[in-house]
Amino acid sequence: DFKDIFDVDHFITSLRGEIRIIKILPPKVKKRVELGLLYSMPPISWSNISYYENQVLPLLLKHKVIQLNRTNARLANNGLPGEIQKLRCRVNFNALRFTTQIEELGRMMVKVLREKRPFLALHLRYEMDMLAFSGCAHDCYSKEEEELIRMR
């Protein structure tokens, strides 16, 4: 679950004033979810903002809860309104923070690696366009930002 990986309180506090996040569903909605009476759908990968406004939002308003399965699907990176892209960057780079337990485990692993030297750390999913996938271009020069847009 999200709460097993990320610091939920930090997430909520970081985004306060931007979006409303609730920890507990209202009783009526919670009961419907427990009974499996919720709308479930796979979002279409790399959709633009109008897909979410015109397709997903009406379903959310109708059903009150939507389960978006296959959540590796991404909102398109180019052509988003600035406030949406800024929110996405704040979520990815500020609001998401690992739980204390995961942070402590990470520090312990790094300590052991430094003591045992030498070591090589390799991220097997590193892709040249990882930064492009995030959609963020904070502190990039205009030429770099243009290159990221082309990569997307």
Side-chain angles (χ1 to χ4, degrees):
D1 285 347
F2 185 88
K3 67 179 173 34
D4 298 321
I5 300 168
F6 298 108
D7 181 338
V8 173
D9 292 327
H10 175 75
F11 185 81
I12 292 170
T13 301
S14 297
L15 298 172
R16 185 175 291 138
E18 299 285 332
I19 57 174
R20 183 172 164 239
I21 301 170
I22 60 171
K23 283 186 175 181
I24 300 168
L25 292 172
K28 271 187 180 179
V29 176
K30 183 178 180 188
K31 186 70 170 170
R32 290 185 64 207
V33 169
E34 289 169 350
L35 294 172
L37 303 172
L38 63 119
Y39 191 84
S40 184
M41 64 179 282
I44 296 172
S45 294
W46 300 100
S47 298
N48 61 26
I49 196 77
S50 66
Y51 165 76
Y52 287 90
E53 290 174 334
N54 300 325
Q55 302 294 318
V56 178
L57 181 58
L59 291 170
L60 179 60
L61 294 172
K62 177 181 177 183
H63 298 284
K64 306 299 182 223
V65 175
I66 295 181
Q67 177 186 30
L68 297 174
N69 52 32
R70 283 195 275 148
T71 54
N72 63 334
R74 298 182 173 123
L75 175 64
N77 286 323
N78 292 329
L80 288 177
E83 66 272 7
I84 299 292
Q85 185 55 51
K86 286 177 185 173
L87 176 61
R88 169 195 252 159
C89 293
R90 275 194 295 282
V91 168
N92 287 334
F93 296 105
N94 298 117
L96 290 175
R97 182 167 73 186
F98 290 119
T99 62
T100 304
Q101 297 86 345
I102 291 175
E103 287 284 339
E104 288 173 6
L105 177 62
R107 279 192 288 280
M108 183 186 72
M109 290 172 61
V110 169
K111 181 179 180 235
V112 168
L113 288 171
R114 286 182 174 155
E115 289 171 357
K116 301 291 181 184
R117 293 193 183 240
F119 69 90
L120 170 68
L122 174 64
H123 189 300
L124 296 176
R125 284 221 48 240
Y126 181 79
E127 301 163 4
M128 292 301 290
D129 55 1
M130 275 174 81
L131 183 59
F133 283 150
S134 77
C136 299
H138 182 69
D139 284 343
C140 289
Y141 296 109
S142 59
K143 186 173 181 174
E144 293 168 325
E145 191 168 351
E146 289 170 16
E147 185 177 346
L148 288 173
I149 290 169
R150 278 195 309 279
M151 291 173 98
R152 291 181 204 131

